[in-house]
Amino acid sequence: MARPVDDETIATAENVFREYLRDRGLKYTYERQVLLQAVMRHDGHFEAEELLLRLRQQGLRVAKATIYRTLPLLVNCGIVKQVQLSNKQTHYEHTYGQDPHDHMICRRCGRIIEFDSEDVMRLRTMIAARHSFYALSHRLAITGLCEACVKSCPVALPPLQLQPAAASRRGRP
Amino acid sequence: MARPVDDETIATAENVFREYLRDRGLKYTYERQVLLQAVMRHDGHFEAEELLLRLRQQGLRVAKATIYRTLPLLVNCGIVKQVQLSNKQTHYEHTYGQDPHDHMICRRCGRIIEFDSEDVMRLRTMIAARHSFYALSHRLAITGLCEACVKSCPVALPPLQLQPAAASRRGRP
DNA sequence: GTCAATGCAAACATTTTGCAACTCT
DNA sequence: AGAGTTGCAAAATGTTTGCATTGAC
């Protein structure tokens, strides 16, 4: 899904970030550099906590607060995108040098399927124009059932999402 | 935006909810009825807390926990939809008897513009089919700048957040 | 009568904040 | 030198949970 990033791409991203910071009188600190690199090297989705752990494992110490303060910067300068995969924590993915894509999320097994955003982009442009809106980005998540889940449970419970209450009564698949 | 709902629509929604509950051996309690009605009568977006306050003002006491336990039921039976307007709390809107729509969110002033989902639905159907996914619903949010904000701030802080890789390669519009 | 739902408060998880010490520029 | 940043711990949110009691079917 996410393509591995080469050092060159990271270097370019670094320049973008640095410039973004400089433009607003912010500083390119060691921690921000560490975070940028960690983010760029992280394939797939991640949350703040995950990033923290990953860094710890590499022996890099960055305060949790710093992560929470840096992620929005990376989002604002377009290197990272927020994606909403659950209703819990915020998930991120770096998009720099990646093909734009959106997500389908299976309500039963949680599987995430990525799909190319080309058509969505086109539609977004059209809609934005129609409302004189200047679109900068979008988030699209389609929820439903993945192929496997539809097959494994062809009849029962057609459309719903498993309910806590319900689950206790009938148990899980 | 949201059309006012007449009592008839509420009554129908009530039936849907009741049936949904009965089908799974759940109960149609007084609190659930109160919540369903409050939700149906609430035009526009709301959060759990807001609902609580609104009910309090009407002298109706429903525990916060009950609200948090009931909203997912309403979402699951399709009467209410989750929309993510901010990164903070979960926002909801009732969709029963409303025209399907999605949202554009202005990053500067927070204004929310709704737009018809027809095209999005069509696209979603196409994409789902292409990946053998059984789509049940979707969330689309387009973020950017509304007309007023673009005008009020034509030059400053060029609204970055363009496709980074592409941007670095081909420069900015 | 039974199983589920409510209310309450305590527990949780995640994110934000205040502040002193420190670091880029 | 000075504005911005970090780390830490405390605080603030928003949401979930345990449990005794109450209520629907």
Side-chain angles (χ1 to χ4, degrees):
Chain A
M1 305 266 83
R3 275 180 301 175
V5 274
D6 49 84
D7 292 344
E8 197 195 318
T9 307
I10 296 188
T12 325
E14 220 166 328
N15 285 337
V16 170
F17 192 29
R18 198 185 239 132
E19 195 176 317
Y20 167 88
L21 293 172
R22 181 162 31 73
D23 284 356
R24 20 214 113 202
L26 305 179
K27 294 165 181 170
Y28 190 57
T29 64
Y30 171 71
E31 287 79 5
R32 286 177 182 168
Q33 187 190 331
V34 164
L35 283 170
L36 172 69
Q37 301 219 358
V39 157
M40 289 299 291
R41 292 227 160 75
H42 196 129
D43 285 340
H45 313 113
F46 61 89
E47 336 147 12
E49 192 72 26
E50 234 173 294
L51 205 53
L52 181 75
L53 291 179
R54 184 168 288 222
L55 289 173
R56 289 258 160 97
Q57 285 169 359
Q58 295 175 47
L60 298 167
R61 302 240 134 216
V62 176
K64 191 180 288 195
T66 301
I67 294 183
Y68 277 107
R69 286 188 274 231
T70 305
L71 282 172
L73 296 175
L74 290 167
V75 168
N76 274 326
C77 77
I79 290 173
V80 167
K81 190 176 165 182
Q82 272 185 289
V83 289
Q84 58 168 183
L85 301 178
S86 72
N87 300 322
K88 309 220 166 243
Q89 347 74 289
T90 308
H91 289 249
Y92 299 87
E93 67 183 8
H94 79 95
T95 48
Y96 193 90
Q98 301 288 320
D99 295 324
H101 61 265
D102 289 285
H103 304 90
M104 292 194 276
I105 303 159
C106 178
R107 290 192 191 182
R108 194 165 292 149
C109 70
R111 186 148 82 101
I112 289 163
I113 299 163
E114 299 186 346
F115 60 89
D116 184 272
S117 293
E118 202 182 315
D119 296 333
V120 183
M121 297 289 268
R122 234 196 307 281
L123 181 54
R124 147 185 148 183
T125 304
M126 231 181 65
I127 291 168
R130 195 182 291 156
H131 294 260
S132 308
F133 190 83
Y134 181 47
L136 291 168
S137 96
H138 73 266
R139 298 185 299 270
L140 170 61
I142 298 176
T143 63
L145 298 174
C146 72
E147 199 173 3
C149 283
V150 168
K151 279 187 182 146
S152 77
C153 195
V155 184
L157 310 189
L160 16 133
Q161 202 161 297
L162 15 161
Q163 252 351 264
S168 73
R169 219 172 10 90
R170 21 178 133 73
R172 298 279 195 66
Chain B
M1 306 267 88
R3 276 179 302 173
V5 275
D6 49 85
D7 293 344
E8 197 194 318
T9 307
I10 296 188
T12 325
E14 219 167 329
N15 285 336
V16 170
F17 192 30
R18 196 186 241 133
E19 197 175 316
Y20 168 89
L21 293 171
R22 180 163 29 77
D23 285 357
R24 309 148 222 251
L26 305 178
K27 294 165 183 172
Y28 189 58
T29 63
Y30 170 70
E31 288 79 6
R32 286 178 180 168
Q33 186 191 331
V34 164
L35 283 170
L36 172 68
Q37 300 221 358
V39 158
M40 289 299 289
R41 293 226 159 77
H42 196 129
D43 285 341
H45 313 113
F46 61 89
E47 335 146 14
E49 193 72 26
E50 234 172 294
L51 206 52
L52 181 74
L53 291 179
R54 185 168 287 224
L55 289 173
R56 289 257 160 97
Q57 285 169 357
Q58 295 175 46
L60 297 167
R61 310 243 130 206
V62 177
K64 189 180 287 194
T66 301
I67 294 183
Y68 277 105
R69 285 189 275 230
T70 305
L71 281 172
L73 297 175
L74 289 168
V75 169
N76 274 325
C77 76
I79 290 175
V80 167
K81 191 177 166 183
Q82 270 185 286
V83 290
Q84 115 146 168
L85 301 178
S86 73
N87 301 323
K88 310 217 162 243
Q89 347 72 290
T90 308
H91 289 248
Y92 300 87
E93 67 184 6
H94 79 96
T95 48
Y96 193 91
Q98 301 286 322
D99 294 325
H101 61 266
D102 289 287
H103 305 90
M104 293 195 276
I105 303 159
C106 178
R107 290 193 191 181
R108 194 165 292 149
C109 70
R111 186 147 82 102
I112 289 163
I113 299 164
E114 299 186 345
F115 60 87
D116 185 273
S117 292
E118 199 183 317
D119 296 334
V120 182
M121 297 288 269
R122 234 195 307 281
L123 181 54
R124 147 186 148 184
T125 304
M126 231 181 66
I127 292 168
R130 196 183 289 156
H131 295 261
S132 308
F133 191 83
Y134 179 49
L136 291 169
S137 91
H138 73 266
R139 298 184 298 267
L140 170 61
I142 299 176
T143 62
L145 299 174
C146 72
E147 200 174 2
C149 284
V150 168
K151 279 186 182 147
S152 78
C153 195
V155 186
L157 302 191
L160 350 142
Q161 180 120 8
L162 343 155
Q163 267 337 297
S168 73
R169 236 179 312 103
R170 10 183 147 77
R172 304 273 190 63

